[in-house]
Amino acid sequence: MNGLRALCLSFLLLPLGVVAQTLRLVADPWPPFTDQTLLNNGVAADLVSSALGRAGYATTYAQVPWARALRGLQRSDYDVLINAWFTDERASVGYFSQPYLVNRIRLLRRKGSAIRFEQLSDLYPQRIAVVRGYAYSSAFDSDPLLHKVGVGSFESAARMLQAKRVELTLEDEFVARYHFDRELSGIRDELEFLERPLSENGLHILISRSHPQHQAIAEAFNQAIVAMHADGSYAAILQRHGL
């Protein structure tokens, strides 16, 4: 009986509407941020599930290609897409949290290339490999004069760059370094970052607008991230992922 009382009391202490809710999280493979082969599915998945757990939500995690993840959110197959940069189009599909990480997007070229980047017009003569469906910055994504070559992954983009099929590609700096330490180690010394970053993008969770509590989930998540910064648990998660 004492155990039952304790269980009932724990339910009463949870935020209103959170009791017994399980949120279906989804992401595409994007190491070191999200990947089922990594500790706790990657640093972003670890931060998100920890924050939502702190807010009283249980979670499950699914990993699918990006386009399928976004469609699944639209169709209510999933509740929360955990690794989204802000775009107006996505905001019509889901409700954004405050950013909980920052992605620094940098361009890469072949070593020995004379390509420089100070403004977008500097990139107009170049072929740039981009991952289909990804948003890099609002200005870059919407500029019709940029010659973008769609590919399925950063690994494909980097190999195209090394093979001289494109002149540039781009990716979050941590993501690129992760791949250069693994499957791209053989071409790592042939490519280099341009000094100036293209953009710095906040990483958000995107909650399906069909979920009746989408705004409450975002607010609870935001508060949990603030609390995790304050008590050191946020920094501890980054540290255990080597960041």
Side-chain angles (χ1 to χ4, degrees):
M1 182 64 72
N2 287 339
L4 179 60
R5 287 176 182 153
L7 180 62
C8 291
L9 179 60
S10 68
F11 283 166
L12 290 173
L13 292 175
L14 291 173
L16 183 63
V18 171
V19 175
Q21 282 200 42
T22 297
L23 297 177
R24 299 163 298 171
L25 310 184
V26 67
D28 67 327
W30 193 37
F33 299 109
T34 53
D35 197 283
Q36 289 175 323
T37 66
L38 301 178
L39 173 68
N40 295 337
N41 300 312
V43 63
D46 203 351
L47 286 169
V48 170
S49 60
S50 297
L52 289 172
R54 187 174 186 137
Y57 294 91
T59 58
T60 62
Y61 178 81
Q63 185 168 291
V64 300
W66 174 259
R68 191 186 307 173
L70 199 56
R71 286 197 305 270
L73 196 76
Q74 291 175 296
R75 297 188 308 220
S76 300
D77 296 334
Y78 309 110
D79 301 309
V80 180
L81 178 59
I82 71 174
N83 56 336
W85 296 336
F86 181 86
T87 68
D88 290 335
E89 181 181 4
R90 292 173 191 171
S92 68
V93 173
Y95 189 88
F96 277 96
S97 71
Q98 293 297 312
Y100 66 92
L101 272 173
V102 175
N103 297 124
R104 191 166 181 251
I105 309 305
R106 296 185 68 183
L107 291 148
L108 294 107
R109 65 187 178 190
R110 287 183 298 278
K111 282 189 177 177
S113 167
I115 296 172
R116 296 289 185 269
F117 168 60
E118 294 296 333
Q119 54 193 1
L120 283 179
S121 59
D122 295 336
L123 307 179
Y124 289 168
Q126 317 303 336
R127 296 168 297 176
I128 309 168
V130 299
V131 179
R132 297 184 191 93
Y134 276 21
Y136 295 97
S137 77
S138 57
F140 179 90
D141 298 337
S142 62
D143 194 324
L145 299 180
L146 291 168
H147 185 177
K148 303 168 194 172
V149 180
V151 298
S153 67
F154 172 69
E155 181 181 357
S156 296
R159 294 193 186 280
M160 287 179 67
L161 177 58
Q162 184 266 344
K164 301 182 179 181
R165 296 172 58 193
V166 294
E167 286 72 54
L168 294 167
T169 189
L170 65 171
E171 182 54 278
D172 171 85
E173 184 173 358
F174 284 128
V175 174
R177 294 189 186 280
Y178 175 90
H179 289 290
F180 286 140
D181 286 340
R182 291 165 177 80
E183 71 274 11
L184 294 176
S185 61
I187 65 172
R188 174 179 53 198
D189 293 338
E190 299 180 49
L191 307 179
E192 63 184 1
F193 291 104
L194 276 70
E195 183 174 352
R196 182 184 180 91
L198 175 75
S199 65
E200 292 187 349
N201 297 327
L203 193 64
H204 311 251
I205 65 170
L206 182 64
I207 306 147
S208 173
R209 287 190 178 271
S210 64
H211 194 292
Q213 295 179 352
H214 56 268
Q215 187 169 355
I217 293 167
E219 291 172 354
F221 174 81
N222 294 339
Q223 292 170 10
I225 290 292
V226 170
M228 289 167 64
H229 276 290
D231 68 14
S233 57
Y234 184 101
I237 290 174
L238 295 186
Q239 185 173 16
R240 72 185 181 216
H241 287 272
L243 301 177

